[in-house]
Amino acid sequence: MHPANSSTEYHWSTLPEVKAILKLTGPILLTQLAQVGMGTIDTLMSGYVSTRDLAAVAIGSAIWTPIWLFLAGILVAMSPAIAKARAADQNNNALRSIVGSGVSLGVIAGTLLGILTAVIALLLPSLVDDAHTAHTAKYYLLAIAIAMPVSGIFLALRFHAEAVDQAHHVTRIMLAGLLLNIPVNAALIYGWGFLPELGGIGCGIGSAIVVCTMTIALLWDCRRYRAQDFGGIRTLNTHTQFSVLANLSRVGLPIGVAIFFEISLFTAIALFLTDLGPVVVAGHQVALNVSSVTFMLPLSLGMALTVRVGHHLGRSGYSAARRTAWLGVKLNLLLAMINATIILLGADLIAGLYSPDPAVVAIGSALLIYAAVFQIPDSIQIAAAGSLRAYEDTFAVMLITFVSYWLIGFSTGWYLAYGLAEPMGAAGFWIGLIAGLSCAAIILAWRLRVIGRNQLVQSPDSCDNIADLP
């Protein structure tokens, strides 16, 4: 026992904690990259059919991606809940109620969002001028909509596995799904054997088949390795508790809304930039795509922080939770500085990989400078938000995100892009993004400091050893 003040503290040390965070981050990162890779495969394969099929898949992806991320945001609330329950050594019934209620929430939310996706799909023929593009996008989206409830089950099981330190199980299934996506897509897009040639529609059906296959695989994996937490779909009625489901919804809905605020901001900026011509749009897309790829690393570390901080809170290790949260912020900042340095040094080379057009390369490389700066505040706010999820402080994060992204970021960007005597164009929007993210980083870091300190004051540490924490 090591007394400190009036309470017993954890034996917390930096290096083991760094290893624990990175151990969680690695599989989550691979899972995220595999998810992005599936969308990339759809885009690339549809492009070989026709430009109109490519456009249809692009339209469909632009619609279902934020909806799917909203669903993922809701269900990520399972991570801190399971981490706390497991770390607190609660009995199997407590864990089963969380997992069962989470899967039920995935089915309910997935069904509602699937209906929303289907309604949007049915409206597309009246919104898209080209008949072939509208037809293809409509049925592509309908296939995705049908699989949305299954996606809810998959996401719930994914966050369960990650919360109990078995993220690598999900990674294996996701990578297998990524490989499976290629032949399944090809068979349906190009009409292999007795199958009809469906073009871009085949991408939607193929993705739906792969999601269902991965969900079955993850259910089998759960029954084999985590059966004590979840008995299967047939036991949902016995393992679902309304109070637990309501609490997961209370924590998860603000996370989903916050993610939607962020995604919709980038969508709005892309739409506003269309007035500046295709070269500017292409240059902006270069910087945005690079940022999207580099974003995966701090995002994955932020998700790992949710689990790790949740473990400490479950063991009443409030000082350890606070230290881990700030360690995660520092790690993310270090990774962001590495990313920023690489982007700054290789801006021209990176932009040249995207387009042979010198005009696009010039604009893209110029915007990549802003994208490099963008990494710094983005890494801080992601880590802070990930830690705050473990404290279940998600409503405040949602409000901070809205104010920072839209009221500050978008407004500043629009003014710089169009409101000045000499408008800055796309660069103005990127400066606005940096301003908005900087505000989010400052406010969320302050919020994390306040929440962590208050938790520590109200509930001093009661555990003295974290060596056995996963």
Side-chain angles (χ1 to χ4, degrees), residues 135-223:
H135 174 82
T136 303
K138 171 185 172 182
Y139 286 99
Y140 169 83
L141 265 184
L142 285 175
I144 298 293
I146 292 171
M148 199 66 76
V150 181
S151 293
I153 297 173
F154 178 84
L155 287 166
L157 295 174
R158 170 195 164 177
F159 293 127
H160 168 218
E162 290 175 356
V164 297
D165 199 29
Q166 293 186 8
H168 55 287
H169 291 238
V170 183
T171 301
R172 288 199 295 261
I173 291 171
M174 283 292 299
L175 292 175
L178 179 64
L179 295 176
L180 178 63
N181 201 34
I182 297 172
V184 172
N185 266 10
L188 294 167
I189 292 171
Y190 310 120
W192 287 0
F194 63 89
L195 296 173
E197 185 177 334
L198 298 175
I201 297 173
C203 286
I205 299 173
S207 296
I209 291 172
V210 170
V211 166
C212 292
T213 303
M214 291 193 305
T215 302
I216 293 170
L218 193 51
L219 277 167
W220 175 85
D221 185 87
C222 185
R223 286 295 301 272

Coordinates of all heavy atoms in Angstrom, one line a residue, residues 135-223:
H135 N -30.7 5.9 -61.3 CA -31.2 4.6 -61.1 C -30.1 3.7 -60.4 O -30.5 3.0 -59.4 CB -31.4 4.0 -62.5 CG -31.8 2.5 -62.5 ND1 -33.1 2.0 -62.2 CD2 -31.0 1.4 -62.7 CE1 -33.0 0.7 -62.2 NE2 -31.8 0.3 -62.5
T136 N -28.9 3.9 -60.8 CA -27.8 3.1 -60.2 C -27.6 3.5 -58.7 O -27.5 2.7 -57.8 CB -26.5 3.3 -60.9 OG1 -26.7 2.9 -62.3 CG2 -25.4 2.5 -60.3
A137 N -27.6 4.8 -58.4 CA -27.4 5.3 -57.1 C -28.6 4.8 -56.2 O -28.4 4.5 -55.0 CB -27.3 6.8 -57.1
K138 N -29.8 4.8 -56.7 CA -31.0 4.4 -56.0 C -30.8 3.0 -55.5 O -31.0 2.7 -54.3 CB -32.2 4.6 -56.8 CG -33.5 4.0 -56.2 CD -34.6 4.1 -57.2 CE -35.9 3.3 -56.7 NZ -37.0 3.4 -57.7
Y139 N -30.5 2.1 -56.4 CA -30.5 0.7 -56.0 C -29.2 0.3 -55.2 O -29.2 -0.6 -54.4 CB -30.7 -0.2 -57.2 CG -32.1 -0.2 -57.7 CD1 -32.5 0.6 -58.7 CD2 -33.1 -1.0 -57.0 CE1 -33.9 0.6 -59.1 CE2 -34.4 -0.9 -57.4 CZ -34.8 -0.1 -58.4 OH -36.1 -0.1 -58.8
Y140 N -28.2 1.1 -55.5 CA -26.9 0.9 -54.7 C -27.2 1.2 -53.2 O -26.9 0.5 -52.3 CB -25.9 1.9 -55.2 CG -24.6 2.0 -54.3 CD1 -23.6 1.1 -54.4 CD2 -24.5 3.1 -53.5 CE1 -22.5 1.2 -53.6 CE2 -23.4 3.2 -52.7 CZ -22.4 2.3 -52.7 OH -21.3 2.4 -51.9
L141 N -27.9 2.4 -53.0 CA -28.3 2.8 -51.6 C -29.3 1.8 -51.0 O -29.2 1.6 -49.8 CB -28.9 4.2 -51.7 CG -27.9 5.4 -51.4 CD1 -28.7 6.7 -51.3 CD2 -27.2 5.2 -50.1
L142 N -30.3 1.3 -51.7 CA -31.2 0.4 -51.2 C -30.6 -0.9 -50.7 O -31.0 -1.4 -49.6 CB -32.3 0.1 -52.2 CG -33.3 1.2 -52.5 CD1 -34.3 0.7 -53.7 CD2 -34.2 1.5 -51.3
A143 N -29.6 -1.3 -51.4 CA -28.8 -2.5 -50.9 C -28.1 -2.2 -49.6 O -28.1 -3.0 -48.7 CB -27.8 -3.0 -52.0
I144 N -27.5 -1.0 -49.5 CA -26.8 -0.6 -48.3 C -27.9 -0.5 -47.1 O -27.6 -0.9 -46.0 CB -26.1 0.7 -48.5 CG1 -25.0 0.6 -49.5 CG2 -25.5 1.2 -47.1 CD1 -23.9 -0.4 -49.1
A145 N -29.0 0.0 -47.5 CA -30.1 0.3 -46.4 C -30.5 -1.1 -45.8 O -30.8 -1.1 -44.6 CB -31.3 1.0 -47.1
I146 N -30.7 -2.1 -46.7 CA -31.1 -3.4 -46.2 C -30.2 -4.0 -45.2 O -30.5 -4.6 -44.2 CB -31.3 -4.3 -47.4 CG1 -32.5 -3.9 -48.2 CG2 -31.6 -5.8 -46.9 CD1 -32.7 -4.6 -49.5
A147 N -28.9 -3.7 -45.4 CA -27.8 -4.2 -44.5 C -27.5 -3.4 -43.3 O -26.7 -3.8 -42.4 CB -26.5 -4.4 -45.3
M148 N -28.2 -2.2 -43.2 CA -27.9 -1.3 -42.1 C -28.2 -1.9 -40.7 O -27.4 -1.8 -39.8 CB -28.7 0.0 -42.2 CG -28.1 1.2 -41.4 SD -26.4 1.7 -42.0 CE -26.8 2.6 -43.5
P149 N -29.3 -2.6 -40.5 CA -29.5 -3.3 -39.2 C -28.4 -4.3 -38.8 O -28.0 -4.4 -37.7 CB -30.9 -4.0 -39.3 CG -31.5 -3.2 -40.4 CD -30.5 -2.8 -41.3
V150 N -27.9 -5.0 -39.8 CA -26.8 -6.0 -39.6 C -25.6 -5.2 -39.3 O -24.8 -5.7 -38.4 CB -26.6 -6.8 -40.9 CG1 -25.5 -7.9 -40.7 CG2 -27.9 -7.6 -41.3
S151 N -25.4 -4.1 -39.9 CA -24.2 -3.2 -39.5 C -24.3 -2.8 -38.1 O -23.2 -2.8 -37.4 CB -24.2 -2.0 -40.4 OG -23.9 -2.3 -41.8
G152 N -25.5 -2.6 -37.6 CA -25.7 -2.3 -36.2 C -25.2 -3.4 -35.3 O -24.5 -3.1 -34.2
I153 N -25.5 -4.6 -35.6 CA -25.1 -5.8 -34.8 C -23.5 -5.9 -34.9 O -22.9 -6.1 -33.9 CB -25.7 -7.1 -35.4 CG1 -27.2 -7.0 -35.2 CG2 -25.1 -8.3 -34.7 CD1 -27.9 -8.2 -35.9
F154 N -23.0 -5.7 -36.1 CA -21.5 -5.8 -36.3 C -20.8 -4.8 -35.4 O -19.8 -5.1 -34.8 CB -21.2 -5.7 -37.8 CG -19.7 -5.7 -38.0 CD1 -19.0 -6.9 -38.2 CD2 -18.9 -4.5 -38.1 CE1 -17.6 -7.0 -38.4 CE2 -17.6 -4.6 -38.3 CZ -16.9 -5.8 -38.4
L155 N -21.3 -3.6 -35.5 CA -20.6 -2.5 -34.7 C -20.7 -2.7 -33.2 O -19.7 -2.5 -32.5 CB -21.2 -1.1 -35.1 CG -20.9 -0.6 -36.5 CD1 -21.8 0.6 -36.9 CD2 -19.4 -0.1 -36.5
A156 N -21.8 -3.2 -32.8 CA -22.0 -3.5 -31.3 C -21.0 -4.6 -30.9 O -20.3 -4.4 -29.9 CB -23.4 -3.9 -31.0
L157 N -20.9 -5.6 -31.7 CA -19.9 -6.7 -31.4 C -18.5 -6.2 -31.5 O -17.6 -6.7 -30.8 CB -20.2 -7.9 -32.3 CG -21.6 -8.6 -32.1 CD1 -21.7 -9.7 -33.2 CD2 -21.7 -9.2 -30.7
R158 N -18.3 -5.3 -32.4 CA -16.9 -4.8 -32.6 C -16.5 -4.0 -31.4 O -15.4 -4.3 -30.8 CB -16.9 -3.9 -33.8 CG -15.6 -3.1 -33.9 CD -15.6 -1.9 -34.9 NE -14.5 -1.0 -34.6 CZ -14.2 0.1 -35.4 NH1 -15.0 0.4 -36.4 NH2 -13.2 0.8 -35.1
F159 N -17.3 -3.1 -30.9 CA -16.9 -2.3 -29.8 C -16.8 -3.1 -28.5 O -16.1 -2.8 -27.6 CB -17.9 -1.1 -29.6 CG -17.8 -0.1 -30.7 CD1 -18.9 0.3 -31.4 CD2 -16.6 0.4 -31.1 CE1 -18.8 1.2 -32.5 CE2 -16.5 1.3 -32.1 CZ -17.6 1.7 -32.8
H160 N -17.6 -4.2 -28.4 CA -17.5 -5.1 -27.3 C -16.1 -5.8 -27.3 O -15.4 -5.8 -26.3 CB -18.6 -6.2 -27.4 CG -18.4 -7.4 -26.5 ND1 -18.7 -8.7 -26.9 CD2 -18.0 -7.5 -25.2 CE1 -18.5 -9.5 -25.9 NE2 -18.0 -8.8 -24.9
A161 N -15.7 -6.3 -28.5 CA -14.4 -7.0 -28.5 C -13.3 -6.0 -28.2 O -12.3 -6.3 -27.5 CB -14.2 -7.5 -29.9
E162 N -13.4 -4.8 -28.7 CA -12.3 -3.8 -28.5 C -12.2 -3.4 -27.0 O -11.2 -3.2 -26.4 CB -12.6 -2.5 -29.3 CG -12.3 -2.8 -30.8 CD -12.6 -1.6 -31.7 OE1 -13.2 -0.6 -31.1 OE2 -12.4 -1.7 -32.9
A163 N -13.4 -3.4 -26.3 CA -13.4 -3.0 -24.9 C -12.9 -4.0 -24.0 O -12.4 -3.7 -22.9 CB -14.9 -2.7 -24.5
V164 N -12.8 -5.3 -24.4 CA -12.3 -6.4 -23.6 C -10.9 -6.8 -24.1 O -10.4 -7.9 -23.9 CB -13.2 -7.6 -23.6 CG1 -14.5 -7.2 -22.9 CG2 -13.5 -8.2 -24.9
D165 N -10.2 -5.9 -24.9 CA -8.9 -6.1 -25.3 C -8.7 -7.2 -26.3 O -7.7 -7.9 -26.3 CB -7.9 -6.3 -24.1 CG -6.5 -6.1 -24.5 OD1 -6.2 -5.2 -25.3 OD2 -5.6 -6.7 -23.9
Q166 N -9.7 -7.4 -27.2 CA -9.7 -8.4 -28.2 C -9.9 -7.7 -29.6 O -10.6 -8.3 -30.5 CB -10.7 -9.5 -28.0 CG -10.3 -10.4 -26.8 CD -11.2 -11.6 -26.6 OE1 -12.0 -11.9 -27.4 NE2 -11.0 -12.2 -25.4
A167 N -9.4 -6.5 -29.7 CA -9.6 -5.8 -31.0 C -9.0 -6.5 -32.2 O -9.5 -6.4 -33.3 CB -9.0 -4.4 -30.9
H168 N -8.0 -7.3 -32.0 CA -7.3 -8.0 -33.1 C -8.2 -9.0 -33.7 O -8.1 -9.4 -34.9 CB -6.0 -8.7 -32.6 CG -6.2 -9.6 -31.4 ND1 -6.4 -9.1 -30.1 CD2 -6.2 -10.9 -31.3 CE1 -6.5 -10.1 -29.3 NE2 -6.4 -11.3 -30.0
H169 N -9.2 -9.5 -32.9 CA -10.2 -10.5 -33.5 C -11.0 -9.7 -34.6 O -11.3 -10.3 -35.7 CB -11.1 -11.0 -32.4 CG -10.5 -11.9 -31.4 ND1 -10.9 -13.2 -31.2 CD2 -9.4 -11.7 -30.6 CE1 -10.1 -13.7 -30.3 NE2 -9.2 -12.9 -29.9
V170 N -11.4 -8.5 -34.3 CA -12.2 -7.7 -35.3 C -11.3 -7.4 -36.5 O -11.8 -7.4 -37.6 CB -12.7 -6.4 -34.6 CG1 -13.6 -5.6 -35.6 CG2 -13.5 -6.7 -33.4
T171 N -10.1 -7.1 -36.2 CA -9.2 -6.7 -37.3 C -9.0 -7.8 -38.3 O -9.1 -7.6 -39.5 CB -7.8 -6.3 -36.8 OG1 -7.9 -5.2 -35.8 CG2 -6.8 -5.9 -37.9
R172 N -8.9 -9.1 -37.8 CA -8.7 -10.2 -38.7 C -10.0 -10.4 -39.6 O -9.9 -10.6 -40.8 CB -8.5 -11.5 -37.9 CG -7.1 -11.6 -37.3 CD -6.8 -13.0 -37.0 NE -7.7 -13.5 -35.9 CZ -7.4 -13.6 -34.6 NH1 -6.2 -13.2 -34.2 NH2 -8.2 -14.1 -33.7
I173 N -11.1 -10.2 -39.0 CA -12.4 -10.3 -39.7 C -12.5 -9.2 -40.8 O -13.0 -9.4 -41.9 CB -13.6 -10.4 -38.8 CG1 -13.5 -11.7 -38.0 CG2 -14.9 -10.3 -39.5 CD1 -14.5 -11.7 -36.8
M174 N -12.2 -8.0 -40.4 CA -12.3 -6.9 -41.3 C -11.3 -7.0 -42.5 O -11.7 -6.7 -43.6 CB -12.0 -5.6 -40.5 CG -13.1 -5.0 -39.7 SD -14.5 -4.5 -40.6 CE -13.8 -3.2 -41.6
L175 N -10.1 -7.5 -42.2 CA -9.2 -7.6 -43.3 C -9.6 -8.8 -44.3 O -9.5 -8.6 -45.5 CB -7.8 -8.0 -42.8 CG -7.1 -6.8 -42.0 CD1 -5.8 -7.3 -41.4 CD2 -6.8 -5.6 -43.0
A176 N -10.2 -9.8 -43.7 CA -10.8 -10.9 -44.5 C -11.9 -10.4 -45.3 O -12.1 -10.7 -46.5 CB -11.2 -12.1 -43.6
G177 N -12.8 -9.5 -44.7 CA -13.9 -8.9 -45.4 C -13.4 -8.0 -46.6 O -14.0 -7.9 -47.6
L178 N -12.3 -7.3 -46.3 CA -11.8 -6.4 -47.4 C -11.3 -7.2 -48.6 O -11.6 -6.8 -49.7 CB -10.6 -5.6 -46.8 CG -9.8 -4.7 -47.7 CD1 -10.7 -3.6 -48.2 CD2 -8.6 -4.2 -47.1
L179 N -10.7 -8.4 -48.3 CA -10.3 -9.2 -49.4 C -11.5 -9.9 -50.1 O -11.5 -10.0 -51.4 CB -9.3 -10.3 -48.9 CG -8.0 -9.8 -48.4 CD1 -7.2 -11.0 -47.8 CD2 -7.2 -9.2 -49.5
L180 N -12.5 -10.3 -49.4 CA -13.7 -10.9 -49.9 C -14.4 -9.9 -50.8 O -15.1 -10.3 -51.8 CB -14.6 -11.4 -48.8 CG -15.9 -12.0 -49.2 CD1 -15.7 -13.3 -50.0 CD2 -16.7 -12.3 -47.9
N181 N -14.4 -8.6 -50.4 CA -15.1 -7.6 -51.1 C -14.7 -7.5 -52.6 O -15.6 -7.2 -53.5 CB -14.9 -6.2 -50.5 CG -15.9 -5.2 -50.8 OD1 -17.1 -5.6 -51.0 ND2 -15.6 -4.0 -50.9
I182 N -13.5 -7.8 -52.9 CA -13.0 -7.7 -54.3 C -13.7 -8.7 -55.2 O -14.3 -8.3 -56.2 CB -11.5 -7.8 -54.4 CG1 -10.8 -6.7 -53.6 CG2 -11.0 -7.8 -55.8 CD1 -9.3 -6.8 -53.4
P183 N -13.6 -10.0 -55.0 CA -14.3 -11.0 -55.9 C -15.8 -10.9 -55.9 O -16.5 -11.1 -56.9 CB -13.8 -12.4 -55.4 CG -13.4 -12.1 -54.0 CD -12.9 -10.7 -53.9
V184 N -16.4 -10.6 -54.7 CA -17.9 -10.5 -54.6 C -18.3 -9.3 -55.4 O -19.3 -9.4 -56.2 CB -18.3 -10.3 -53.1 CG1 -19.8 -10.0 -53.1 CG2 -18.1 -11.6 -52.4
N185 N -17.6 -8.2 -55.3 CA -18.0 -7.0 -56.1 C -17.8 -7.3 -57.6 O -18.7 -7.0 -58.4 CB -17.0 -5.8 -55.8 CG -17.7 -4.9 -54.7 OD1 -18.7 -5.2 -54.1 ND2 -17.0 -3.8 -54.5
A186 N -16.7 -7.9 -58.0 CA -16.4 -8.2 -59.4 C -17.5 -9.1 -60.0 O -17.9 -8.9 -61.1 CB -15.0 -8.8 -59.5
A187 N -17.9 -10.1 -59.2 CA -18.9 -11.1 -59.7 C -20.2 -10.4 -60.0 O -20.9 -10.6 -61.0 CB -19.1 -12.2 -58.7
L188 N -20.6 -9.4 -59.1 CA -21.9 -8.7 -59.3 C -21.8 -7.5 -60.2 O -22.7 -7.2 -61.0 CB -22.4 -8.3 -57.9 CG -22.7 -9.4 -57.0 CD1 -22.9 -8.9 -55.5 CD2 -24.0 -10.1 -57.4
I189 N -20.6 -6.9 -60.3 CA -20.5 -5.7 -61.1 C -20.4 -6.1 -62.6 O -21.1 -5.6 -63.5 CB -19.2 -4.9 -60.7 CG1 -19.4 -4.2 -59.4 CG2 -18.9 -3.8 -61.8 CD1 -18.2 -3.6 -58.8
Y190 N -19.5 -7.1 -62.8 CA -19.2 -7.5 -64.2 C -20.0 -8.7 -64.7 O -19.9 -9.1 -65.9 CB -17.7 -7.7 -64.4 CG -16.9 -6.6 -63.9 CD1 -16.0 -6.8 -62.8 CD2 -17.0 -5.3 -64.4 CE1 -15.2 -5.8 -62.3 CE2 -16.2 -4.3 -63.8 CZ -15.3 -4.5 -62.8 OH -14.5 -3.5 -62.3
G191 N -20.8 -9.4 -63.8 CA -21.6 -10.5 -64.2 C -20.9 -11.7 -64.5 O -20.9 -12.3 -65.6
W192 N -20.1 -12.3 -63.5 CA -19.4 -13.5 -63.7 C -20.4 -14.7 -63.7 O -21.4 -14.7 -63.0 CB -18.5 -13.7 -62.5 CG -17.2 -12.8 -62.6 CD1 -16.9 -11.9 -63.5 CD2 -16.2 -12.8 -61.6 NE1 -15.8 -11.3 -63.2 CE2 -15.3 -11.8 -62.1 CE3 -15.9 -13.5 -60.5 CZ2 -14.1 -11.5 -61.4 CZ3 -14.7 -13.2 -59.8 CH2 -13.8 -12.2 -60.2
G193 N -20.1 -15.6 -64.6 CA -20.9 -16.9 -64.6 C -22.4 -16.6 -64.9 O -22.7 -15.9 -65.9
F194 N -23.3 -17.1 -64.1 CA -24.7 -17.0 -64.4 C -25.2 -15.7 -63.8 O -26.4 -15.3 -64.0 CB -25.5 -18.2 -63.7 CG -25.3 -18.2 -62.2 CD1 -26.2 -17.5 -61.4 CD2 -24.3 -18.9 -61.7 CE1 -26.0 -17.6 -60.0 CE2 -24.1 -19.0 -60.3 CZ -25.0 -18.3 -59.4
L195 N -24.4 -14.9 -63.1 CA -24.9 -13.6 -62.5 C -25.0 -12.5 -63.6 O -24.3 -12.4 -64.5 CB -23.9 -13.2 -61.4 CG -23.7 -14.1 -60.2 CD1 -22.6 -13.6 -59.3 CD2 -25.0 -14.2 -59.4
P196 N -26.0 -11.7 -63.4 CA -26.2 -10.6 -64.3 C -25.2 -9.5 -64.1 O -24.6 -9.3 -63.0 CB -27.6 -10.1 -64.0 CG -27.8 -10.4 -62.6 CD -27.1 -11.7 -62.4
E197 N -24.9 -8.7 -65.1 CA -24.0 -7.6 -65.0 C -24.7 -6.4 -64.4 O -25.6 -5.8 -65.1 CB -23.4 -7.2 -66.4 CG -22.3 -6.1 -66.3 CD -21.7 -5.8 -67.7 OE1 -21.8 -6.7 -68.6 OE2 -21.3 -4.7 -67.9
L198 N -24.4 -6.0 -63.1 CA -25.2 -5.0 -62.4 C -24.5 -3.7 -62.3 O -25.1 -2.7 -61.9 CB -25.5 -5.5 -61.0 CG -26.4 -6.8 -60.9 CD1 -26.5 -7.2 -59.5 CD2 -27.7 -6.6 -61.5
G199 N -23.3 -3.6 -62.8 CA -22.5 -2.3 -62.7 C -22.4 -1.8 -61.3 O -22.2 -2.6 -60.3
G200 N -22.6 -0.5 -61.1 CA -22.5 0.1 -59.8 C -23.4 -0.4 -58.7 O -23.1 -0.4 -57.5
I201 N -24.6 -0.9 -59.2 CA -25.5 -1.5 -58.2 C -24.9 -2.7 -57.5 O -25.1 -3.0 -56.3 CB -26.8 -1.9 -58.9 CG1 -27.6 -0.7 -59.5 CG2 -27.8 -2.7 -58.0 CD1 -28.7 -1.0 -60.4
G202 N -24.1 -3.5 -58.3 CA -23.4 -4.6 -57.7 C -22.5 -4.3 -56.6 O -22.3 -5.1 -55.7
C203 N -22.0 -3.0 -56.6 CA -21.1 -2.6 -55.4 C -21.9 -2.6 -54.1 O -21.5 -3.0 -53.1 CB -20.6 -1.2 -55.7 SG -19.3 -1.1 -56.9
G204 N -23.2 -2.1 -54.2 CA -24.0 -2.0 -53.0 C -24.4 -3.4 -52.5 O -24.3 -3.7 -51.3
I205 N -24.8 -4.3 -53.5 CA -25.2 -5.6 -53.1 C -24.0 -6.4 -52.5 O -24.0 -7.1 -51.5 CB -25.8 -6.4 -54.3 CG1 -27.0 -5.7 -54.8 CG2 -26.1 -7.8 -53.9 CD1 -27.6 -6.2 -56.0
G206 N -22.8 -6.2 -53.2 CA -21.6 -6.8 -52.7 C -21.2 -6.4 -51.3 O -20.8 -7.2 -50.5
S207 N -21.3 -5.1 -51.1 CA -21.0 -4.5 -49.7 C -21.9 -5.1 -48.7 O -21.5 -5.4 -47.6 CB -21.0 -3.0 -49.8 OG -20.0 -2.5 -50.6
A208 N -23.2 -5.2 -49.0 CA -24.2 -5.7 -48.1 C -23.9 -7.2 -47.8 O -24.0 -7.6 -46.6 CB -25.6 -5.6 -48.7
I209 N -23.5 -8.0 -48.8 CA -23.2 -9.4 -48.6 C -22.0 -9.5 -47.7 O -21.9 -10.4 -46.7 CB -22.9 -10.1 -49.9 CG1 -24.2 -10.2 -50.7 CG2 -22.3 -11.5 -49.7 CD1 -24.1 -10.7 -52.1
V210 N -21.0 -8.7 -47.9 CA -19.7 -8.7 -47.1 C -20.0 -8.4 -45.7 O -19.5 -9.0 -44.7 CB -18.6 -7.8 -47.7 CG1 -17.4 -7.7 -46.8 CG2 -18.2 -8.4 -49.1
V211 N -20.8 -7.3 -45.5 CA -21.2 -6.9 -44.1 C -21.9 -8.1 -43.3 O -21.6 -8.3 -42.2 CB -22.1 -5.7 -44.1 CG1 -22.7 -5.4 -42.7 CG2 -21.2 -4.4 -44.5
C212 N -22.8 -8.7 -44.0 CA -23.5 -9.8 -43.4 C -22.6 -11.0 -43.1 O -22.7 -11.6 -42.0 CB -24.6 -10.3 -44.3 SG -26.0 -9.1 -44.5
T213 N -21.7 -11.2 -44.0 CA -20.7 -12.3 -43.8 C -19.8 -12.0 -42.6 O -19.5 -12.9 -41.7 CB -19.8 -12.5 -45.0 OG1 -20.7 -12.8 -46.2 CG2 -18.8 -13.7 -44.9
M214 N -19.3 -10.8 -42.5 CA -18.4 -10.4 -41.4 C -19.2 -10.4 -40.1 O -18.6 -10.8 -39.0 CB -17.9 -9.0 -41.6 CG -16.9 -8.9 -42.8 SD -16.0 -7.3 -42.8 CE -17.3 -6.1 -42.8
T215 N -20.5 -10.1 -40.1 CA -21.3 -10.1 -38.9 C -21.4 -11.5 -38.4 O -21.3 -11.8 -37.2 CB -22.6 -9.5 -39.1 OG1 -22.5 -8.1 -39.6 CG2 -23.5 -9.5 -37.8
I216 N -21.7 -12.5 -39.3 CA -21.8 -13.9 -38.9 C -20.5 -14.4 -38.3 O -20.4 -15.1 -37.3 CB -22.2 -14.7 -40.1 CG1 -23.6 -14.4 -40.6 CG2 -22.1 -16.2 -39.8 CD1 -24.0 -15.0 -41.9
A217 N -19.4 -14.0 -39.0 CA -18.0 -14.4 -38.5 C -17.8 -13.8 -37.1 O -17.2 -14.5 -36.2 CB -17.0 -13.9 -39.5
L218 N -18.2 -12.5 -36.9 CA -17.9 -11.9 -35.6 C -18.9 -12.5 -34.5 O -18.5 -12.6 -33.3 CB -18.2 -10.4 -35.7 CG -17.7 -9.6 -34.5 CD1 -16.2 -9.9 -34.1 CD2 -17.8 -8.1 -34.8
L219 N -20.1 -12.9 -34.9 CA -20.9 -13.6 -33.9 C -20.3 -15.0 -33.5 O -20.3 -15.3 -32.3 CB -22.3 -13.9 -34.6 CG -23.3 -12.7 -34.5 CD1 -24.5 -13.0 -35.5 CD2 -23.8 -12.5 -33.1
W220 N -19.8 -15.7 -34.5 CA -19.1 -16.9 -34.2 C -17.9 -16.7 -33.3 O -17.7 -17.4 -32.3 CB -18.6 -17.6 -35.5 CG -17.8 -18.9 -35.3 CD1 -18.3 -20.1 -35.1 CD2 -16.4 -19.0 -35.2 NE1 -17.3 -21.0 -34.9 CE2 -16.1 -20.3 -34.9 CE3 -15.4 -18.0 -35.3 CZ2 -14.8 -20.8 -34.8 CZ3 -14.1 -18.5 -35.2 CH2 -13.8 -19.8 -34.9
D221 N -17.1 -15.7 -33.6 CA -15.9 -15.3 -32.8 C -16.3 -15.0 -31.4 O -15.7 -15.4 -30.4 CB -15.2 -14.1 -33.5 CG -13.9 -13.8 -32.8 OD1 -12.9 -14.4 -33.1 OD2 -13.9 -12.9 -31.9
C222 N -17.5 -14.2 -31.2 CA -18.0 -13.9 -29.9 C -18.4 -15.1 -29.1 O -18.1 -15.2 -27.9 CB -19.1 -12.9 -30.1 SG -19.7 -12.2 -28.5
R223 N -19.1 -16.0 -29.8 CA -19.5 -17.2 -29.1 C -18.3 -18.1 -28.6 O -18.4 -18.8 -27.6 CB -20.4 -18.1 -30.0 CG -21.8 -17.5 -30.2 CD -22.6 -17.5 -28.9 NE -22.8 -18.9 -28.4 CZ -23.7 -19.7 -28.7 NH1 -24.7 -19.3 -29.6 NH2 -23.8 -20.9 -28.2

